[in-house]
Amino acid sequence: TNYNGMQFTREVSGVASEKGTIHVTDTGTSYNTTSDKTHKTDNGLLTAAQAWAILRLIEIHNYTWIDSGKDDIGPFAQDLYEVYPNGVTPGAWFDEEGQPANVAVIGATYLPWSVDHSKLMPLVVTALQNLDQRIAALEAAAA
């Protein structure tokens, strides 16, 4: 089979470590973020109450992209950042060398705010698991 991949690494103190990959095969494309258990300290399970508290604050908008005129649905990055900053990469101005810059710097480029929708999935999964448990309890009580 045809298999292509791209690895993304970050060097810290002279040591490079993988942070993500994009793999393309004959049947699909996978976008992966490193999630290896050995690279994490477990601080406990996300509770349903925590997930619901965040999800209830996320505003999903119907909107139109100014550049393309295409309609879309989703959160606005700046608003989501106020509720759940883990899902957002703030926008910023950068100079020609890629260093943070002031908008007044000649040649500065603006990178817009962005949302990593995959960061919302743990909230959604936890909330769905909670709903499943509640439905099962209601069904058991009704039986």
Side-chain angles (χ1 to χ4, degrees):
T1 60
N2 181 19
Y3 179 83
N4 295 305
M6 181 178 288
Q7 180 182 37
F8 297 90
T9 60
R10 180 168 186 205
E11 188 173 313
V12 177
S13 301
V15 177
S17 63
E18 182 180 291
K19 299 300 176 192
T21 59
I22 299 174
H23 293 284
V24 179
T25 68
D26 290 339
T27 59
T29 303
S30 299
Y31 303 90
N32 303 297
T33 300
T34 300
S35 188
D36 191 306
K37 185 177 184 174
T38 63
H39 291 256
K40 300 176 180 181
T41 300
D42 188 354
N43 296 322
L45 293 175
L46 176 68
T47 67
Q50 292 168 319
W52 282 115
I54 296 166
L55 286 172
R56 286 185 178 109
L57 296 174
I58 296 173
E59 296 177 339
I60 303 298
H61 297 266
N62 292 299
Y63 59 88
T64 302
W65 289 101
I66 293 171
D67 291 342
S68 68
K70 294 191 183 240
D71 292 334
D72 211 339
I73 299 171
F76 295 153
Q78 290 88 333
D79 297 342
L80 181 60
Y81 187 81
E82 298 299 320
V83 175
Y84 191 65
N86 289 353
V88 177
T89 301
W93 286 93
F94 293 92
D95 65 18
E96 292 173 339
E97 284 79 42
Q99 298 300 313
N102 184 307
V103 65
V105 174
I106 295 174
T109 301
Y110 180 71
L111 295 179
W113 288 63
S114 59
V115 172
D116 181 350
H117 292 87
S118 69
K119 298 286 187 183
L120 301 175
M121 287 309 298
L123 302 171
V124 173
V125 169
T126 299
L128 285 173
Q129 289 171 336
N130 174 250
L131 284 177
D132 183 55
Q133 292 168 353
R134 292 166 62 187
I135 290 168
L138 288 170
E139 288 174 340

